[in-house]
Amino acid sequence: MPANSSLQTKPQLARRLGLFDATMIVMGGIIGSGIFVNPSVVARQVSTPFLILGVWALGGLLALLAAFIWAELASLRPQVGGQYAYLREAFHPSIAFLYGWVLLLVIQTGGMAAVAVTFARYFLELTHVPVTDSKLAVVILASLSVVNCFGVRTGSTVQSVFMVLKIIAITVLVVCGLLLIGPSQGAVATGQRAGLMLDRPASFGLLTAVGAAMVPVLFAYGGWQTATFVAGEIKEPRKNLPRGLIIGIAGVVLLYLAVNLVCIRALGTAGLAATKAPASDVMRLALGAFGAHAIAAGIAISTVGFLSQSMLTAPRVYFAMARDGLFFKSVGALHPRTRVPIVAIGLQGSLAIVIALWGAYEQILNYVVSMDFIFFGLTACCIFMFRRQRFPVEVAEDGNARIIRVPGHPVTTLLFVAACWLVVINTIYKYPSNTLIGMAILIAGIPAYMFWRWRNRS
């Protein structure tokens, strides 16, 4: 809980974001470069249109379930920090601190460094500017840090513009694939096997293949939770944040299914499995070299939009930690005019820049996954704690407290928790050494928490 009541006299976050902003933030946190690449990864695990689209649809159902879980949490606790606040109040401040700890040191900064370098590589391929990808990554990270220091309205506007451009890029891909590429240009095998539902007899091997295909799908759908970080800056957060979560994730599911349908239609399942750049191949079939360059520009825009969303949202977690007395006091400071946590923004941007220059971001991403999904499962468990009414429900100023409920709870919530932790188990199995590194960073947060508690009491 906030340790010092005097903090209440300091400048507070400004509520300047509406439903459209919340929806764009949700979609911007999910759609990065994954949807342009991951369809081929899935096709290498399962090889019929039914299974490929089925896996993406199942991932979409889990994402929609997550939307309702986070929507209920947001309507119960519309507080700055989102997921951090839920863990703090449902379990213990130490659990929330450990989440913020790995978010800052691994999940957010490592992911941002990797995405920034991805942007740099696509940008340099298009422009051939004489600069290294790491230096260009530093420029984009620093630029977005500065933009978000001008205020949440400015940062959200930039993020929304990039999100709209992402939607346009995906729509162009889908329309070109449907209108300019005939079915005959796809692989012959797809037409021959169109009537098949399964690519092998129902067996344990089929189940494990579907499970392996689900991993990149769940990764591609991840990121919805970051919208809750800015709950303290959303107007009527009890109403707008849950709606933004549900509308945003539903929109992403439709876009993702459309992209996969087009890729299967244009390339066939065999062609889709063989390529490493399915979106580029589809656009090359539709518009030649110009199409391939156009989608490369779209992917570059998508990565910048993802970075912009990350720079906007995650610093609010470190801000909340500092306001709770669990981090450097300066990180909890707001600029008196823009009313944004500029120190928290600068800290995150600086760490992402260091990782981008260091070049170890690809290794970091290997153990980001286990950390992220551990806390996804824990956060969903907060529903059980809050429904026991161990903590009072916050009531709006008008005396009403409309709470969005998770449909099918507790069965659906338990299914989501099980899916999250199955991803963790699979990651431990595939990358045991990297998972140990991630666990070591997580455990290192325990003495860090004890230090901040001791310092705060002193």
Side-chain angles (χ1 to χ4, degrees):
M1 303 300 168
N4 193 338
S5 60
S6 65
L7 289 175
Q8 302 300 322
T9 63
K10 295 184 177 182
Q12 299 299 307
L13 295 167
R15 295 193 182 276
R16 293 170 176 162
L17 307 179
L19 176 60
F20 175 78
D21 303 294
T23 303
M24 292 297 98
I25 290 171
V26 171
M27 297 181 75
I30 299 173
I31 301 176
S33 59
I35 186 55
F36 299 102
V37 177
N38 283 357
S40 61
V41 180
V42 173
R44 285 194 283 272
Q45 298 293 337
V46 291
S47 57
T48 66
F50 173 80
L51 285 176
I52 294 171
L53 293 174
V55 167
W56 282 96
L58 179 59
L61 287 175
L62 286 173
L64 283 171
L65 179 56
F68 280 100
I69 293 173
W70 262 252
E72 178 170 336
L73 291 170
S75 59
L76 287 169
R77 294 292 182 273
Q79 300 170 350
V80 62
Q83 191 169 334
Y84 167 85
Y86 312 150
L87 293 168
R88 179 188 65 200
E89 297 196 21
F91 298 111
H92 192 269
S94 61
I95 303 298
F97 175 85
L98 290 176
Y99 172 68
W101 173 264
V102 296
L103 186 75
L104 176 62
L105 296 183
V106 178
I107 297 172
Q108 202 70 23
T109 50
M112 289 173 64
V115 172
V117 173
T118 299
F119 158 78
R121 289 172 179 171
Y122 275 103
F123 184 85
L124 293 176
E125 183 178 341
L126 289 170
T127 63
H128 304 289
V129 176
V131 65
T132 63
D133 54 10
S134 60
K135 289 182 180 178
L136 187 56
V138 168
V139 171
I140 192 65
L141 288 168
S143 299
L144 291 173
S145 297
V146 171
V147 166
N148 278 277
C149 287
F150 284 111
V152 68
R153 179 71 270 165
T154 302
S156 176
T157 300
V158 171
Q159 197 284 138
S160 295
V161 168
F162 278 112
M163 186 59 238
V164 171
L165 291 174
K166 281 195 245 185
I167 294 174
I168 292 173
I170 293 175
T171 302
V172 169
L173 170 65
V174 172
V175 171
C176 288
L178 290 176
L179 299 183
L180 301 181
I181 304 175
S184 60
Q185 292 179 265
V188 177
T190 299
Q192 294 174 339
R193 305 183 65 185
L196 296 178
M197 295 178 65
L198 307 180
D199 57 6
R200 71 202 79 177
S203 63
F204 180 73
L206 176 62
L207 182 63
T208 57
V210 171
M214 282 295 296
V215 174
V217 169
L218 291 177
F219 296 164
Y221 277 116
W224 71 86
Q225 76 285 353
T226 56
T228 65
F229 298 164
V230 294
E233 292 152 292
I234 294 178
K235 302 172 186 175
E236 299 183 79
R238 183 171 278 106
K239 178 178 69 174
N240 288 330
L241 185 52
R243 289 179 180 178
L245 282 162
I246 294 169
I247 295 171
I249 292 180
V252 170
V253 172
L254 290 176
L255 290 173
Y256 279 15
L257 288 175
V259 169
N260 278 275
L261 179 63
V262 164
C263 288
I264 293 171
R265 183 175 184 272
L267 305 175
T269 55
L272 181 57
T275 182
K276 292 184 178 180
S280 296
D281 286 352
V282 170
M283 290 299 289
R284 187 176 288 107
L285 284 172
L287 298 173
F290 171 79
H293 282 85
I295 199 63
I299 295 172
I301 290 171
S302 184
T303 56
V304 174
F306 178 85
L307 287 173
S308 179
Q309 195 271 3
S310 300
M311 200 65 74
L312 171 69
T313 56
R316 275 62 181 176
V317 174
Y318 323 135
F319 166 83
M321 292 167 64
R323 286 290 173 108
D324 287 351
L326 296 177
F327 207 39
F328 297 106
K329 186 178 179 180
S330 59
V331 177
L334 293 176
H335 190 279
R337 184 176 61 83
T338 63
R339 293 168 70 181
V340 295
I342 58 175
V343 177
I345 293 170
L347 175 64
Q348 177 178 263
S350 299
L351 286 176
I353 287 172
V354 169
I355 296 172
L357 291 173
W358 180 29
Y361 47 85
E362 292 179 353
Q363 296 175 351
I364 288 176
L365 287 180
N366 285 333
Y367 51 81
V368 161
V369 174
S370 57
M371 297 297 98
D372 219 358
F373 277 81
I374 284 173
F375 286 103
F376 284 164
L378 279 175
T379 304
C381 290
C382 293
I383 294 287
F384 295 96
M385 306 299 291
F386 290 145
R387 285 206 178 189
R388 288 171 56 189
Q389 296 185 349
R390 180 177 173 182
F391 306 97
V393 174
E394 296 180 2
V395 180
E397 293 179 359
D398 60 3
N400 296 319
R402 295 182 179 179
I403 305 301
I404 291 180
R405 295 296 188 183
V406 180
H409 177 87
V411 175
T412 51
T413 306
L414 288 173
L415 285 173
F416 178 80
V417 172
C420 290
W421 288 343
L422 281 172
V423 172
V424 175
I425 292 170
N426 181 74
T427 307
I428 293 172
Y429 176 75
K430 291 186 68 175
Y431 309 106
S433 58
N434 288 328
T435 304
L436 286 176
I437 295 173
M439 290 295 180
I441 295 173
L442 177 66
I443 293 171
I446 297 175
Y449 170 78
M450 296 173 65
F451 167 77
W452 286 111
R453 291 292 292 176
W454 168 81
R455 190 171 185 266
N456 190 37
R457 291 194 186 100
S458 300

